[in-house]
Amino acid sequence: MELPETRAARIAELAQLPALLEALVVPLAEAQLDAHAAHDPWTIRQIVHHLADSHMNSFVRMRLMLTEEHPTLKPYNQDAWSLLPDARAPISESLALLHGLHARWAAMLSGLPEAAWDRPGHHPEAGTVTIGGMLESYVRHGHEHLAQIGRILSATGTVRLPEIPFPLYWAIAPQRWEYADGVLTATAGGQTDLFIDPQGSAPKLNAPHLVGEVHGDFMLSAHVTVDFAADFDAGALIVWAGDHVWAKLCFEYSPQREPMVVSVVTRGISDDANGFTIAQHSIWLRVSRMGRALAFHASTDGRAWQMIRHFALDLPPGVSLGLLAQSPSGNGCRVQFAQIVFAAQRLAALRTGE
């Protein structure tokens, strides 16, 4: 039999979980919340929302077990739930829910008589479970996910580039990367892309990209060199405001085996517009924000800029900005970003890019 003081300690742990979670995730930038670590299918944002989903279910299951005789506890598909639209909601919503939920949960458990801890329920996958066993399981469940968040943060840790004044994070990590002598080199794995197909095939959101949060108007440019091998291999600059609101300016290998400037703007689904082709494997790219509008420019010499696209996106005050490598149809692609320049200022001349 479990000692009452041991059980009280576990209830206290359960009550403390929302505060521990909040301390871990509230300081994170949006790019970190949406970061993927290798071999981990969920982002930190999805984990926070999953904890709310899972612990709501457990709270209700316990209440059924306390008020009914050996009830059947309905399972749910947690992976499917993690893909529902609210899984992209601000984490503040689930944090608020968890604070209230765990306060109620701890209050309920703290007042139970001894006989209640052995009350059973039947779970179709786990078999017979008890109130005492579920308390132990969900304290452990919370700590396992706190550790998972820690592993993701370790795997996608802060990157500082001297040319960019804000911290960057690998939202999706590449196979390899290094920064030396002013050049960031990143290698994307095979079958990696960032594209939501207007023809309805499954979205691909697995291209490695290094981003950080920036507010207000800005200009970011880089000299991009791509080791082209397969169709649509590319290096790109990216502006990210969520899975369904983003844009990238790519230097990409066309099916005609020509290096080409390509822009992709995503508002729920992606469009795809070709710019111009060049003979060499290097080009300068630049993305600029002007309020709610963005502008894409490209240059073959870093001095004379050609406008590729001018458009509006539904952007929040702070967006994620950075660099991307992709290899949608190939086995991998190496991209170099050199002469990186960031300026927290508005583009003066849209048409000429000056």
Side-chain angles (χ1 to χ4, degrees), residues 25-255:
V25 300
V26 165
L28 302 180
E30 291 296 305
Q32 288 174 289
L33 293 174
D34 293 320
H36 286 271
H39 311 301
D40 200 323
W42 283 359
T43 65
I44 293 174
R45 187 188 306 277
Q46 287 173 306
I47 293 168
V48 173
H49 293 318
H50 162 72
L51 282 167
D53 291 342
S54 175
H55 290 199
M56 279 192 296
N57 271 278
S58 180
F59 178 65
V60 171
R61 288 169 178 169
M62 283 192 181
R63 293 176 77 81
L64 291 171
M65 292 162 65
L66 290 167
T67 57
E68 300 178 12
E69 295 303 319
H70 211 115
T72 296
L73 309 175
K74 180 176 173 56
Y76 69 99
N77 185 335
Q78 64 180 23
D79 292 317
W81 282 34
S82 75
L83 299 176
L84 291 172
D86 62 318
R88 298 189 296 273
I91 60 168
S92 58
E93 297 174 4
S94 282
L95 290 173
L97 189 156
L98 283 164
H99 275 290
L101 173 66
H102 277 243
R104 284 277 308 277
W105 204 353
M108 179 183 78
L109 295 174
S110 296
L112 292 182
E114 185 62 33
W117 291 99
D118 291 324
R119 288 189 65 87
H122 175 72
H123 191 283
E125 297 168 356
T128 297
V129 296
T130 65
I131 296 292
M134 287 185 68
L135 170 60
E136 184 175 350
S137 293
Y138 278 86
V139 169
R140 184 171 62 248
H141 179 258
H143 285 291
E144 286 172 350
H145 281 299
L146 292 177
Q148 181 186 16
I149 291 170
R151 290 194 300 271
I152 293 173
L153 291 174
S154 296
T156 61
T158 301
V159 176
R160 287 282 188 177
L161 301 185
E163 300 88 349
I164 295 181
F166 48 86
L168 301 167
Y169 315 92
W170 283 110
I172 296 177
Q175 284 187 337
R176 295 177 299 279
W177 73 276
E178 65 175 1
Y179 178 83
D181 300 324
V183 179
L184 175 74
T185 303
T187 301
Q191 308 300 305
T192 52
D193 198 4
L194 207 62
F195 195 68
I196 302 178
D197 190 352
Q199 297 188 49
S201 62
K204 293 195 69 173
L205 299 171
N206 64 342
H209 48 289
L210 179 68
V211 294
E213 188 166 351
V214 60
H215 290 249
D217 293 340
F218 59 76
M219 295 187 292
L220 174 67
S221 62
H223 184 236
V224 182
T225 302
V226 183
D227 292 347
F228 293 121
D231 293 352
F232 313 119
D233 282 356
L237 307 185
I238 182 172
V239 178
W240 178 273
D243 285 354
H244 289 76
V245 182
W246 52 268
K248 62 179 178 178
L249 176 61
C250 305
F251 186 42
E252 185 175 289
Y253 209 34
S254 77

Side-chain angles (χ1 to χ4, degrees), residues 195 246-250 261-267 269-276 285-290 293-298 305-313 347 349-353:
F195 195 68
W246 52 268
K248 62 179 178 178
L249 176 61
C250 305
V261 178
V262 176
S263 64
V264 178
V265 176
T266 299
R267 304 177 183 90
I269 59 173
S270 302
D271 68 25
D272 195 347
N274 290 345
F276 59 87
L285 300 177
R286 187 173 66 198
V287 56
S288 307
R289 180 175 185 177
M290 300 154 288
L294 293 170
F296 287 165
H297 290 82
W305 293 91
Q306 181 173 334
M307 188 177 76
I308 304 301
R309 194 157 185 172
H310 179 222
F311 58 98
L313 269 183
L347 178 67
L350 174 66
R351 298 297 168 181
T352 63

Side-chain angles (χ1 to χ4, degrees), residues 17 19 21-22 27 141 162 189 193 235 241 244 268 296 303 345:
L17 176 71
L21 178 65
E22 190 170 65
H141 179 258
D193 198 4
H244 289 76
F296 287 165
R303 296 185 299 274
Q345 65 187 54

